[in-house]
Structure formats: C-alpha cells, structure tokens
Amino acid sequence: MRSLLRRLWLSLGIVIASQLSAQTVVPVHEEPRHRLVYEGDGFRVLDVRIPPGDTTLFHTHDAPITYVSIDASAVDTQPLGGNWLGIPSSAPPLWARGRVTWNLAYAREPVTHRVTTVGPAQFRLIAVVNHGPGAAEAGVANRIGEVEEENAWFSVARASLQPGESVQWGQSGRPDVAVLVTDGIIQASISDGTSELAERGSFVVRTAGADASLRNVGSAAATLVIVSVR
C-alpha cells in the first residue's frame, strides 16, 4: 500500500510540475529556445531554434521585432489563456527560408504566447528586437543592398555578393545586423576586427559609427539580409 501511495504521489507531482511549467511566463529573451546571442544599446539579437515536436515556454513580446527565417518548418501558436490555432503537421512553413518579416504591433500591445514546431524540420529564426523609441524621419544613411522595408524601428535590405566581390559598409548613426541567409562565406571587416560568416544563420553586428566592409571569400554567390536598428 505504501509503495502504491508513493507512486501515486510521484505521478501527481509530475503532472503538477508539468502544468506549472506550461504556464510559466518569461520575457522573450529569457525563453530557452529564444537564445540571447547579442545585446547592444537598445536592441537584442535572438537565435530562435525550435526542434520538431518541441514547445517553448509562454513568453512575452513587448517591443518591435524583425525575423529573418533560417530553417523553415510549420509551427502552431497558443496565446496565454487561449487555444492552439490547430496548424497540422502537413501545413507548409509560414515563412520560406531567407524571408524577412516583422511585427511592430508589439510596441502598442504586448503579446504572450507559446510556439510548437509541428513540421518535420527545425524551425529557426534570427530575430532582432528594438527596445528603443524608433525614428520619426525616413531613410537610413549608407545602406547597402536592395531595401525591402523601412519603418520607424527597422530598415531591412538584401545584398548578394559574387565570389571575390566586396562592398563598403559605410558609417551609420545606428547599429546594423548582417545575417547570412544562404550557404557561402562572407568576411566582415569592422573597425574593431574581422569575423567570418561561414554558415546560414551566422551574423555580425556593425555598431553605430563603425567603418566596415563585406567580402565574399567563398566559391559561390552568397546573400545577406541587413537589419538596421533605428
């Protein structure tokens, strides 16, 4: 009898712990699958990785965010206190690899939710969060590549470099995050050193006011998404 009671209490404890874990709410940059990989003046960079079948903790978004898709997979979402949307595992990925999206509404209305990967592959994003006030004026100086979006918090551009090609990454009054979204090797030379982007999802931050250049040192064309934090 004591052994049976002990097993019942243990099972109950596991159920309660699981329920409490499911309801734990953390800021997005403290959610384990939204790994904080860089923190600058008024902005953060997160490497978001959710394996198939895995589910995040409930986490709160309270600032504008730009997402750069690295690995595409179908995901489902559940708002705190609500139901899962019911996305099936056969659904196509929400964002194709290399696509850039953003959510500016978080600045007006924070959202708490959790996310699960229902597709067969890992879901991965590089996310840039702007905790600053944004900018009223239009345009960002010294941008490179083709601009895809400009708003009060971000300017997003895309640049493809052929093997051996290099571009100057001129000074700017705000920081920039360059993310490699294809295979290839890009060498980034910035005032304080040189780094190499050698796999999809690798990135480099150019701080405000720093001189920089980008060079394709690989054997194939490579594409970068540049997110300027305004």
Side-chain angles (χ1 to χ4, degrees), residues 32-121:
R33 297 154 195 84
H34 292 68
R35 187 163 61 95
L36 177 62
V37 289
Y38 187 92
E39 186 161 15
D41 182 15
F43 74 102
R44 295 185 173 103
V45 181
L46 310 176
D47 188 344
V48 184
R49 303 187 192 210
I50 311 175
D54 197 12
T55 303
T56 70
L57 299 177
F58 281 105
H59 54 278
T60 300
H61 294 271
D62 61 0
I65 188 169
T66 289
Y67 300 106
V68 182
S69 177
I70 305 301
D71 292 325
S73 194
V75 295
D76 201 359
T77 304
Q78 180 188 27
L80 184 64
N83 298 319
W84 291 99
L85 296 180
I87 304 299
S89 59
S90 58
L94 181 62
W95 301 319
R97 178 183 293 176
R99 183 180 174 186
V100 180
T101 57
W102 42 85
N103 192 318
L104 309 181
Y106 292 147
R108 302 188 305 271
E109 187 175 350
V111 169
T112 298
H113 67 183
R114 62 176 176 170
V115 180
T116 186
T117 298
V118 297

Side-chain angles (χ1 to χ4, degrees), residues 14-34:
I14 292 173
V15 170
I16 292 173
S18 176
Q19 291 175 340
L20 288 175
S21 175
Q23 295 299 317
T24 299
V25 177
V26 296
V28 63
H29 63 278
E30 294 181 7
E31 204 289 314
R33 297 154 195 84
H34 292 68

Side-chain angles (χ1 to χ4, degrees), residues 141-229:
N142 297 307
R143 56 188 167 219
I144 58 175
E146 182 179 348
V147 176
E148 296 184 342
E149 167 73 7
E150 283 189 329
N151 52 60
W153 286 275
F154 302 102
S155 177
V156 178
R158 190 178 302 263
S160 292
L161 277 66
Q162 298 300 314
E165 183 181 0
S166 62
V167 293
Q168 288 301 120
W169 198 3
Q171 290 186 3
S172 174
R174 294 295 297 164
D176 301 313
V177 182
V179 184
L180 183 63
V181 295
T182 63
D183 295 329
I185 307 175
I186 297 291
Q187 185 180 78
S189 299
I190 308 178
S191 302
D192 55 359
T194 299
S195 59
E196 190 171 86
L197 311 183
E199 61 180 16
R200 284 186 300 106
S202 54
F203 70 93
V204 65
V205 175
R206 194 275 300 272
T207 56
D211 285 314
S213 64
L214 299 168
R215 179 177 177 81
N216 186 341
V217 296
S219 58
T223 299
L224 294 159
V225 165
I226 299 96
V227 181
S228 298
V229 182

